[in-house]
Every structure is written in C-alpha cells, then in structure tokens.
Amino acid sequence: MKLFDTLTQEHKKINKKSINIYSCGPTIYDYIHIGNARPIILMDTLIRFLESNDVKVNFLQNITDIDDKIIEKALVENKTEKEITDKYLAAFLENLNKLNIRMPDKLIPISEKINEMNFFISELVKSEAAYDVEGDVYFDIQKFAKEYGKLSNKKIDDLISGNRVEIDNKKMNPLDFNVWKKTNKGILFDSSFGKGRPGWHTECALLIDEYFKGQTIDIHSGGIDLQFPHHENERIQFIAKNNKELADIWMHNGHLTIDGEKMSKSLGNVMTLANFLNQYNSDILRWIFLTTYYRQPINISDDIIDQANKFIQKINNLSKKIKQIIITEQIDMTNILDENILKEFKKHMLDDLNTSRVLTLIEEIIKEINKLILTKEFEKFALKINSLNYILKTLGLSVNINTIISQDEKEMFWSWKRAVSEKDFEKADEIRKVLISKGVL
C-alpha cells in the first residue's frame, strides 16, 4: 500500500501483515466538533480496508483528561474536573458508536499513566534532553536542533523571530516546552519534580513508547492542525528517549471549513459532532469525507450535504427495487463477489486511499446493476450486488443493498399485488405501509 508521509513529503510503501497505528484522541473538556471527526473517519477507513485484506492492526489512541482547558471548564461550571471529563468522554464514545467506528484496540486516558509519565520524563532529564527548574521541567530543543522542525518543515530561528513566543525566564530557549508543569491549580499529581501535572505533548510520546515497547510505529495520524507544535514536540521526545524515529509514516488530514470559513467560536460557526449527528444520518458525514483526498481541505455546505443525501437515497431505492426483483424473479442470491470489481476497489484504496475514485466506482456498479435489471441478465446480478455491499461495508457506510427477504415478506408482497389487481385498495394500502416499513416498497 502507498501512503503519503508528511515527514519525508514522499509516498511510502507499506506491505506488512501486522501494522501498529497511533492516533491523537480528544481533550475531553467539551463536545468534539465535526472537524475532529475527519481523522477519526480517516483511520477507520484505513483500518477497515487493512483488516478486510487480513492485515492485523494494533490501534492505540489516547484520551487527554488532564489539561488547563478542563480545569477552566470545571471552574466556570462549578464542577469537579472528573465530572467534566466523565461527561465529555461519554459523549465522545457515543459519537464513535453513532459513526460506526471500529474502536481502538486500546483507548487510554492519560490520568492512568502518571507513574509512567514520571519515569519517562525522568529518563529525559537523566539524558539531559530535558531540564528541571524549580519543579517545572522543560524539553531542551537546542540539543536536537538538527531534528527539531523537520516534521513541520520549520526552522528554530524562524520560529523564534516570526512567531509570538511565550515569555518564560526559566527556559533556556523560548521554544522549550513543558514536559512537567509546576502548578497549584486543579488536580495535582506527585512526581520526582514535585506536585503538578504532565505536559500535553509528552503524553502521546509516552503512550507510544510504552505500548509499542520503544519501537518505531508504522503510522501516526492526526489533523494538520496538530502537526506543529504537538506532533513536532511529541516526535522529538521519542527520538530523545529512544534514538529512533517515532513513526515510519505520518498521516495528516486537511482542514475542514463550513461554508468556506474555518470553524471558529468567535464566528459562531462551530458545529459539534453531536449536533450534526442529531440532524443527519452518520453516513452523510462519512460520504462527505470520502469525496475528497484526505490531505486536501474540505468544505461542508448545504450543497454537499444534499449530494450525500441523494447518494444514500439512491442506495435505499436500489435496495427496494432489488428486493422486489428477487421476489418476482425468484432469484437465489449467492455470496460470490465480482473479482474485477474487487480488484478495481483495491487498486484505488492502495493508492493512498483514493476514496473519491472508489465513490465513482460505486456509481459505476449501480449503473451496471440497473442495466442488468433492464436486460434481465440476472445470472450476474448477485456478483454485482455482493461486491457493492462489500465496498460499502469496508468504507464503514451503514447503508447497503438488503437482499435478505423472509418468507413472510414474500407472501405479503404477493398479497399486496393481488389486492391491487382486485382493486381492493384499502387492503392494498394497509399491506403497502407494512412493506414500506420493511424496505420492500
């Protein structure tokens, strides 16, 4: 499989029977927005495809349940930090369920790993990659000046001169970042450096180091907004600790805008994923993300939502049509797939997840099925339908062509036909309502 690596700016081939993946999870101080769903659906699509090809995937994701934003939210709402994190973790998990997400093999809240964080940071201090100043521990980026900035294609001098840098007299370099923060605000944890809490950039480096036993992972994913500073800082800590690269491939998805504008609380155009899923079928968002190459920005508008709705309706209408044909033509459906279609599907997915081309393939299959219906070439019928369903399922879409028809449904369909032919319209309408509810009409 060919995937684009942000670090080298090249496509890399990955051909393994077991793949380790890490993806940054949410900071659970609020409901996640629809932009946060893009990396989630990207990884879900990739993992589903890999597993459909018998690749074993070991997928780790973190949950940031220690953070200044959580503390601030707790203070504003007069609640404990745990009340805040419990509420928004539950909401996040509900979102994943509604999106039909293949859950990570391990989902780890960082609060469960404080002792491990302490050891990890102590190792950085011991090797002089980090330094302790009165309980605040900073990473010394100057020690790794040749490596720092490679992931985001930034230079240290340019970062200092061209950006607003937080003034902290404790730091040896303005860009040095906290790996342990001394504070008296919020829940405090014990460490070798005194009470405080771990830095955000360190938790992902620690989890990857521990869970994958200090080995370079195959894929690290996340939104482009995390490329700098989070992923840059995460990467450099892993290199400092293990003297090896954190990931073979860094996958970053593009930004999401709404009606052409980047989501912003000040603009009032932030749409939470929960609100979106209350208004629309989860397949809507997944289809929208599939239409565009994952590295490119994508815009959510009424027009693209309408297009997604039409796609779903097209599949549902075809499903009803096929159910009727299976009944009237007495077709026995097999489980055989069309090898040519599968080959085409696999070719596009192996090409850096070219899902937009896969959606075109789906449209082509639908046209072929409708053509077979017109010409009554039902010997090829099952091949096309089964292949279409296989692709829809692998993409994580819940919509499909339902070819399972009970004997009761068949009898009801013929009763409806008889009632119509006998002009018993009252009875026909009653049966029709039931058949509609069952997806036959």
Side-chain angles (χ1 to χ4, degrees):
M1 185 173 198
K2 182 176 71 174
L3 294 170
F4 187 84
D5 173 36
T6 307
L7 179 63
T8 60
Q9 290 291 294
E10 294 176 347
H11 283 96
K12 283 188 175 179
K13 287 187 178 180
I14 185 166
N15 184 21
K16 300 171 73 173
K17 279 299 177 184
S18 180
I19 291 179
N20 294 328
I21 299 176
Y22 182 84
S23 189
C24 294
T27 301
I28 45 176
Y29 74 102
D30 206 342
Y31 298 107
I32 67 170
H33 56 70
I34 54 174
N36 301 134
R38 195 174 187 190
I40 293 170
I41 290 177
L42 169 62
M43 279 303 99
D44 190 64
T45 306
L46 173 63
I47 291 170
R48 285 174 178 275
F49 175 69
L50 291 171
E51 291 183 332
S52 73
N53 285 277
D54 299 320
V55 175
K56 184 180 184 304
V57 175
N58 194 2
F59 179 34
L60 171 67
Q61 190 170 46
N62 75 310
I63 294 289
T64 300
D65 60 346
I66 303 170
D67 193 81
D68 288 346
K69 292 176 182 177
I70 295 169
I71 296 167
E72 289 165 12
K73 190 71 172 255
L75 291 171
V76 168
E77 297 192 5
N78 196 27
K79 293 180 178 177
T80 66
E81 289 161 60
K82 190 172 187 311
E83 285 175 319
I84 295 296
T85 56
D86 283 351
K87 174 183 176 179
Y88 293 113
L89 177 57
F92 173 66
L93 295 176
E94 184 181 353
N95 286 161
L96 295 186
N97 183 53
K98 286 184 177 180
L99 282 173
N100 190 31
I101 297 296
R102 183 270 203 203
M103 288 295 291
D105 297 283
K106 201 73 175 174
L107 190 65
I108 303 178
I110 198 58
S111 62
E112 295 178 2
K113 295 292 180 180
I114 296 300
N115 290 336
E116 291 82 357
M117 288 279 281
N118 181 38
F119 178 77
F120 183 90
I121 295 167
S122 296
E123 289 293 297
L124 292 179
V125 172
K126 194 183 298 182
S127 67
E128 298 185 347
Y131 55 95
D132 177 10
V133 184
E134 301 171 358
D136 274 306
V137 185
Y138 301 95
F139 188 88
D140 185 358
I141 64 165
Q142 204 61 48
K143 288 271 178 68
F144 300 88
K146 290 183 180 179
E147 279 297 327
Y148 192 77
K150 281 187 177 180
L151 181 62
S152 51
N153 194 28
K154 296 178 185 294
K155 294 180 180 179
I156 292 175
D157 290 344
D158 293 341
L159 285 168
I160 294 172
S161 62
N163 293 276
R164 291 172 62 187
V165 178
E166 180 186 352
I167 301 299
D168 188 339
N169 293 329
K170 291 181 177 181
K171 295 181 181 182
M172 293 193 293
N173 185 305
L175 292 176
D176 289 350
F177 56 89
N178 268 111
V179 292
W180 185 265
K181 184 176 183 178
K182 180 183 178 181
T183 181
N184 55 11
K185 190 178 177 183
I187 296 176
L188 304 180
F189 302 91
D190 289 319
S191 77
S192 308
F193 320 101
K195 288 188 178 293
R197 58 181 175 274
W200 175 44
H201 305 307
T202 303
E203 64 181 82
C204 296
L206 171 276
L207 290 177
I208 293 169
D209 180 55
E210 184 198 33
Y211 189 76
F212 298 109
K213 305 187 187 310
Q215 297 305 304
T216 300
I217 62 173
D218 298 295
I219 298 169
H220 190 305
S221 72
I224 194 68
D225 55 308
L226 295 180
Q227 184 179 352
F228 184 87
H230 183 54
H231 289 165
E232 193 72 71
N233 293 349
E234 181 188 337
R235 172 181 176 261
I236 206 66
Q237 290 175 84
F238 188 90
I239 290 173
K241 166 77 164 45
N242 298 296
N243 196 31
K244 61 180 71 170
E245 188 57 68
L246 186 150
D248 280 332
I249 296 173
W250 289 84
M251 289 181 71
H252 288 103
N253 60 270
H255 287 296
L256 181 141
T257 57
I258 296 180
D259 291 328
E261 290 187 314
K262 187 176 179 180
M263 284 191 292
S264 163
K265 287 184 178 178
S266 61
L267 291 173
N269 68 340
V270 174
M271 179 178 280
T272 67
L273 181 56
N275 284 343
F276 187 92
L277 294 176
N278 284 336
Q279 292 182 56
Y280 306 107
N281 183 299
S282 65
D283 283 345
I284 297 284
L285 193 60
R286 190 177 284 263
W287 183 89
I288 289 171
F289 290 154
L290 293 172
T291 61
T292 304
Y293 177 42
Y294 69 87
R295 292 183 60 234
Q296 297 298 318
I298 193 166
N299 183 50
I300 304 286
S301 64
D302 289 341
D303 179 60
I304 199 167
I305 290 172
D306 185 52
Q307 290 176 48
N309 265 316
K310 285 177 180 176
F311 169 81
I312 292 168
Q313 194 59 51
K314 186 185 292 184
I315 298 293
N316 287 333
N317 289 340
L318 183 60
S319 182
K320 294 172 188 177
K321 187 191 294 186
I322 285 169
K323 270 196 169 188
Q324 294 169 38
I325 289 167
I326 291 171
I327 295 171
T328 56
E329 301 295 332
Q330 299 182 28
I331 296 170
D332 290 324
M333 295 292 290
T334 67
N335 293 320
I336 303 171
L337 303 174
D338 187 317
E339 290 300 323
N340 289 328
I341 289 175
L342 294 190
K343 186 177 178 182
E344 188 78 1
F345 169 59
K346 193 171 181 179
K347 180 182 80 172
H348 299 316
M349 294 294 281
L350 290 173
D351 183 20
D352 203 11
L353 292 180
N354 191 348
T355 54
S356 60
R357 185 61 188 86
V358 171
L359 292 183
T360 302
L361 175 62
I362 288 173
E363 295 290 347
E364 291 167 358
I365 298 168
I366 292 171
K367 286 178 182 177
E368 289 175 12
I369 292 170
N370 281 319
K371 186 177 178 181
L372 291 175
I373 292 171
L374 285 173
T375 58
K376 297 198 171 185
E377 297 175 71
F378 297 125
E379 68 278 2
K380 300 175 185 176
F381 203 55
L383 287 173
K384 305 291 184 186
I385 294 167
N386 293 339
S387 301
L388 176 58
N389 278 339
Y390 173 82
I391 293 171
L392 293 171
K393 183 180 179 182
T394 304
L395 292 176
L397 292 160
S398 59
V399 67
N400 65 5
I401 308 298
N402 186 357
T403 59
I404 299 171
I405 306 164
S406 67
Q407 187 60 35
D408 181 54
E409 286 173 335
K410 290 178 182 178
E411 291 172 3
M412 196 176 296
F413 179 82
W414 289 118
S415 295
W416 171 68
K417 283 280 191 182
R418 281 195 299 274
V420 171
S421 64
E422 292 168 4
K423 298 186 178 181
D424 187 349
F425 299 121
E426 187 176 342
K427 183 179 179 181
D429 282 346
E430 288 177 6
I431 299 171
R432 183 173 178 275
K433 287 176 185 176
V434 178
L435 289 173
I436 287 172
S437 70
K438 293 179 177 292
V440 178
L441 293 179

